[in-house]
Every structure is written in structure tokens, then in C-alpha cells.
Amino acid sequence: MKTTFITNPFDLANYSNPIGHLFQQPKTAAEWEQYVLTKEQIDSFKENGYLSGIKILTEQQVDALNVELIRLQSGRPEDKELFYHYESNESEDPDKVLFHAIGAWRVTPGFHDLIWAPAYRMAAYQLLGQPFRLFHDQLFCKPAKHGGVVAWHQDFSYWTFTKPMQHLTCWIGLDDANIDNGCLYYIPGSHKWGLLPVTGLAGDMDAVRQILDTDQMLAFEKKFANELPKGYASFHHPLMMHGSYANSSQRSRRAVVINSMGQDTMGNTAGYERLEALGHFPPMPQDQLLSSQFFPKLFPDREDDIQRLINSVPTISSLD
């Protein structure tokens, strides 16, 4: 795969552990227990394809990340060269704005350490059912009054350059998100539809309807508005149909997304149709494990008394 990816001495991917004190790490199994999801929550995820209302961040942590976000949106050249993808405005509507960037964890300490947030790591382990690595993060920001859409899509339709499909998305609000300012929507059960073709991410909100059958179209009538306070998260399956409408309110709608993958995920780039989109991503050779410093292992990260807890918590795998 041809790539223009380069290393950088200021790249925070050089640190495969938290570098600050924004996220205190549990030291014992007892300290981890507060973050464990219930069997009922995992059952709900398995049935519906998403789980909402999980608190990941305190108000202080949200504020710290939003300060860093101001820097990241300023587009400093030395920051932008560390991103895998950076669009100050990815909206296809000239009257709307959608900031979308991939790779913030490599640039600022708060977003770097966010991927080690304990509440995130425990929930992701349970919902993936296996040890996992970071795939990448994303920022999606819709300004007040003219924020653009994120059209209906499945995440894995953009990620077929990896295999097997063992991914999980965590969407975390950096603002209160509701219907007025363009919150995320889910189609319950749509993760069972199988992989569908790509129909666009930042253009026609309803382009996906061109490829759906009658039953799938009817399912949109039961779409779920993922309204959440800032600092709270939802998790969803890689085939979950989801999207978010424009923001015409007086409030911004900022969010960070953490995408994770099973620890034995491999590159599947041979024959990938959109190789140009991967030009600034780390190398992902065909059939090779994605285990470089750019895909750090997030959980579990050590062998001690938490292993007994890990072996006892309910997971997607344990409920099969």
C-alpha cells in the first residue's frame, strides 16, 4: 500500500500509556467494579446494536477536552500533519459546516489519555468480548445555527481495509446533545442487516434509502434519538445504521468518537477501492496484525488481580 505516513518526534503515539493525570487509573479489581456493565445492558446491546447512557467523563474532563479542541480546530500545520484525516468543513452543503478529523489522540494530552478512560475501557471490553486495541479516534463538530449532517451509514462499510469485523464505536458528547442540535440517531436492530454499500457521509442525509428494502425503510420509522448530556456515551456495533441531522440551534454539538478493534485484527488493504483515503494512516499491510504503536492495546493492560474480575464480568462472548 502506498502511503505518505511519516513519524514525528512530537507524536503522542510514542506513548502507549496515559501521560497526564486527567484520567485516574484503577489499581485494584475493587476500583474497577464501578465501571462494569450489567448482563441486562449487554443483552440490550446484543438485541438492539447499541447501548446508550454510559458516563465516561466528568464535567472537568469535558472542559479540559474542549479547551484542547479549540487548538485542534485552529488548524495549526504542526498539528494537522499528525492527523490521518482533517477537514475543517467536510459538509457537501455550502451553507453548513461539519468539522471532522481523525487522530486527535496523537496531538494533545487530553485526547491521548481519553482512550485510557476507565469507564470506556471496561465497557468496550465487555461489548467486544475480547482484549482490544485502539483503531482510531474521530472528532465531529457541528457549530450553532449551521452545523451539517452526518448521513446515515454503517461504520464498517468504511473500514473493510481491516479484517475480521470485530470493531466497536463509542460516541462521547462534549456538549449536551439533543434533537435540536443534531444528536445521533440509531435504527434499532439494523446491525443485523449485513454490510451495505457506501452512500456518502456528509452529503444527502437520506441517500442510504436508495439501497434499502421495504422492511428496512419501515425500520426508520422507529429510529432512536440518542439524546445525551455531555460526558455521556453510547456504544454501537460496526454494522449499526446511524446518522445525525443538521444543527440549526443556538448551541454547538461537539463529540469525540473512539473506535476500537479486537487485538488480532489485521490489515486488508489489498484491492481496497479507496486507498487514497488511507494516505496519511499508519501502514496496514495485507494479512498483518495491526499491532504497531499506532494501535495500542487498551485492555487488559496488565496481569494482576484484575484478571479475576475480567474473567467474571459478563461479555458479549459469554452470553452467546
Side-chain angles (χ1 to χ4, degrees), residues 73-92:
Q73 288 189 277
S74 70
R76 301 189 335 178
E78 62 269 32
D79 290 346
K80 288 175 69 175
E81 74 172 27
L82 290 170
F83 280 91
Y84 308 149
H85 173 87
Y86 189 98
E87 291 287 346
S88 296
N89 186 9
E90 197 164 45
S91 177
E92 296 179 17

Side-chain angles (χ1 to χ4, degrees), residues 3 9 17 27 67 76 85 99 102 109 120 127 191 272 282 284:
T3 180
N17 52 267
K27 294 180 173 61
V67 169
R76 301 189 335 178
H85 173 87
F99 174 82
I102 302 175
Y120 163 70
L127 296 174
H191 64 303
Y272 182 63
M284 293 177 283

Side-chain angles (χ1 to χ4, degrees), residues 6 29 37 44 49 51 111 121 124 128 135 142 179 197 208 228 256 282 300 307:
I6 59 174
L37 300 179
S44 178
L51 178 66
F111 282 103
R121 292 199 291 148
L128 277 165
F135 182 29
K142 303 179 182 185
I179 292 171
V208 71
L228 289 171
V256 56
Q307 194 62 49

Side-chain angles (χ1 to χ4, degrees), residues 234-310:
S234 60
F235 291 80
H236 62 260
H237 187 280
L239 294 183
M240 165 56 56
M241 186 62 66
H242 63 290
S244 58
Y245 294 89
N247 178 16
S248 57
S249 77
Q250 301 296 316
R251 299 181 295 109
S252 62
R253 201 234 66 182
R254 297 166 291 184
V256 56
V257 175
I258 308 175
N259 303 304
S260 55
M261 60 187 181
Q263 66 175 353
D264 58 351
T265 304
M266 297 182 289
N268 190 34
T269 49
Y272 182 63
E273 295 179 352
R274 299 188 297 277
L275 276 178
E276 69 284 351
L278 304 182
H280 295 283
F281 276 69
M284 293 177 283
Q286 179 70 28
D287 297 328
Q288 293 190 24
L289 285 177
L290 303 183
S291 58
S292 73
Q293 70 197 82
F294 304 103
F295 307 105
K297 187 176 180 181
L298 298 181
F299 196 83
D301 59 357
R302 62 182 185 271
E303 298 294 331
D304 57 14
D305 68 337
I306 71 164
Q307 194 62 49
R308 178 173 50 82
L309 173 64
I310 291 170

Side-chain angles (χ1 to χ4, degrees), residues 107-169:
V107 185
T108 62
F111 282 103
H112 175 274
D113 287 4
L114 170 62
I115 64 176
W116 279 277
Y120 163 70
R121 292 199 291 148
M122 178 57 75
Y125 171 76
Q126 292 184 260
L127 296 174
L128 277 165
Q130 60 179 301
F132 65 94
R133 297 181 179 275
L134 175 71
F135 182 29
H136 58 67
D137 64 2
Q138 295 171 280
L139 298 171
F140 286 100
C141 302
K142 303 179 182 185
K145 301 180 183 179
H146 58 285
V149 307
V150 177
W152 292 105
H153 67 286
Q154 298 171 309
D155 289 338
F156 195 74
S157 65
Y158 290 93
W159 298 343
T160 54
F161 56 86
T162 65
K163 66 177 184 180
M165 184 184 72
Q166 48 183 7
H167 299 63
L168 179 73
T169 300

